[in-house]
Amino acid sequence: FQGLTYPNVIDQCACTGLVTVIADDVRDRHEYLVDNFIPSVYPQWNASISSCTAENQALLWMSSGINNGGEISNLLRLQRFALALLYIQQGGPGWRRSTGWLSEKNVCEWEGVDCDDQFYVQFLNLNLNRLTGELSEAPALLNAIKGYYARENGISGEIPGLFFENKSLLYLDLSSNDLTGEIPIISEENQLRGLNLASNNLIGNIPSEIARAGRLETLNLAINRFSGTLPNELFTLPLTELAVAGNILNGTIPSEIGDLSDLASLSLGPNLFTGEIPTVLSELTSLTSLSIFGIPGLGGRLPA
């Protein structure tokens, strides 16, 4: 830190594991934010000002001179905090595209961030951007977000349940990462239209609670390690695309699949399904793409 009076918080944490050099005005703003902002996000906050938790690093950055907008609402303040937290937790300094991040600019000018005309973040596009570390729940803290796209990165860990509790999120694409664990509990308050979790290392059953995503139109769970049977609840959704290929699903293909009247694309194999190809597939008049290869236990013929 030679020559720097107040070294960058991220650099201090990377070097010493503690934030020890803090300006007096930053201390004052940090204290103010801990008392007046943080309780709405983390009611049980107990991190010290010198802590190098990602959350405290983001708050210290929020307390710096470039964030002196004390007049902004806590909703807009939350956006800066959540995006700073995302940057810190997902290896921001190594991103391929990060122009504007952690700058004094409005977050709507940060690369990959799209906002509405009231400056609320609606879309985050961080596809192919060298994100690393365990999946951050920070995007799900945003109260107006509609889409989070983070495919083809190096993200690991389990999927935080907060993504399935957010009341504004419509599209979530976390495909082609290294996610593990099961699909978390899905809240009835979710508004998801599109969910892509393909090409990860997810396990467990496809939960029957998927029916709570009652507006879901596209669902891609291909190339994971899902097991068990296809839940009948899956076929109550208004799906236009369904992909479950490349798992170890078993049992028969339910005849209820014929209830997906708007289905245009269906990918079922490879899997371990048994029984006969459902004749009700002929009732899917919108279907233009069908893949059932790699299912050795499946008999019968495709219906005309």
Side-chain angles (χ1 to χ4, degrees), residues 216-266:
L216 197 62
E217 298 174 355
T218 64
L219 177 62
N220 191 340
L221 303 178
I223 315 177
N224 279 284
R225 294 162 55 201
F226 290 114
S227 56
T229 60
L230 291 175
N232 288 338
E233 290 82 359
L234 184 63
F235 309 116
T236 65
L237 299 172
L239 294 172
T240 60
E241 298 181 21
L242 173 61
V244 294
N247 287 287
I248 48 176
L249 296 166
N250 56 45
T252 60
I253 300 172
S255 61
E256 285 82 1
I257 199 169
D259 295 335
L260 299 177
S261 58
D262 295 324
L263 198 66
S265 177
L266 175 62

Side-chain angles (χ1 to χ4, degrees), residues 10-251:
I10 296 176
D11 291 341
Q12 289 192 59
C13 286
C15 184
T16 67
L18 285 173
V19 184
T20 57
V21 183
I22 307 171
D24 290 341
D25 60 334
V26 172
R27 288 181 180 274
D28 291 341
R29 283 191 290 271
H30 185 276
E31 181 178 356
Y32 172 83
L33 292 174
V34 167
D35 291 340
N36 296 281
F37 165 65
I38 282 296
S40 64
V41 187
Y42 300 112
Q44 305 301 319
W45 178 274
N46 60 5
S48 71
I49 192 172
S50 60
S51 169
C52 277
T53 64
E55 292 82 2
N56 191 58
Q57 289 185 61
L59 191 63
L60 280 167
W61 174 77
M62 287 283 295
S63 305
S64 66
I66 64 173
N67 287 288
N68 279 347
E71 72 286 352
I72 67 173
S73 69
N74 270 355
L75 288 178
L76 292 177
R77 185 175 285 121
L78 175 61
Q79 294 192 149
R80 294 187 74 80
F81 175 80
L83 294 180
L85 179 60
L86 174 65
Y87 181 88
I88 293 165
Q89 289 182 321
Q90 307 280 207
W95 289 1
R96 179 180 285 117
R97 303 181 308 278
S98 60
T99 302
W101 283 72
L102 298 199
S103 73
E104 74 284 355
K105 293 181 178 179
N106 188 298
V107 297
C108 301
E109 299 179 55
W110 295 5
E111 191 168 9
V113 180
D114 289 322
C115 300
D116 62 16
D117 56 7
Q118 298 183 53
F119 304 107
Y120 289 117
V121 175
Q122 292 200 310
F123 296 96
L124 282 178
N125 186 343
L126 300 177
N127 292 332
L128 292 157
N129 204 31
R130 297 178 182 159
L131 275 66
T132 58
E134 294 192 358
L135 179 61
S136 171
E137 69 176 16
L141 295 174
L142 299 168
N143 70 315
I145 190 168
K146 291 185 177 181
Y148 179 43
Y149 307 99
R151 64 175 173 82
E152 295 187 56
N153 284 292
I155 305 172
S156 60
E158 299 187 0
I159 303 171
L162 198 59
F163 281 107
F164 295 94
E165 298 172 10
N166 187 289
K167 298 177 183 179
S168 65
L169 187 64
L170 303 180
Y171 304 100
L172 179 62
D173 187 349
L174 301 173
S175 59
S176 299
N177 280 287
D178 195 24
L179 299 174
T180 55
E182 301 184 11
I183 295 176
I185 294 174
I186 299 172
S187 167
E188 292 181 350
E189 296 182 330
N190 85 88
Q191 303 293 319
L192 282 171
R193 305 288 196 278
L195 176 61
N196 190 348
L197 302 177
S199 300
N200 281 287
N201 292 300
L202 299 170
I203 62 172
N205 296 335
I206 298 174
S208 60
E209 291 80 11
I210 193 72
R212 294 176 180 171
R215 296 173 175 81
L216 197 62
E217 298 174 355
T218 64
L219 177 62
N220 191 340
L221 303 178
I223 315 177
N224 279 284
R225 294 162 55 201
F226 290 114
S227 56
T229 60
L230 291 175
N232 288 338
E233 290 82 359
L234 184 63
F235 309 116
T236 65
L237 299 172
L239 294 172
T240 60
E241 298 181 21
L242 173 61
V244 294
N247 287 287
I248 48 176
L249 296 166
N250 56 45

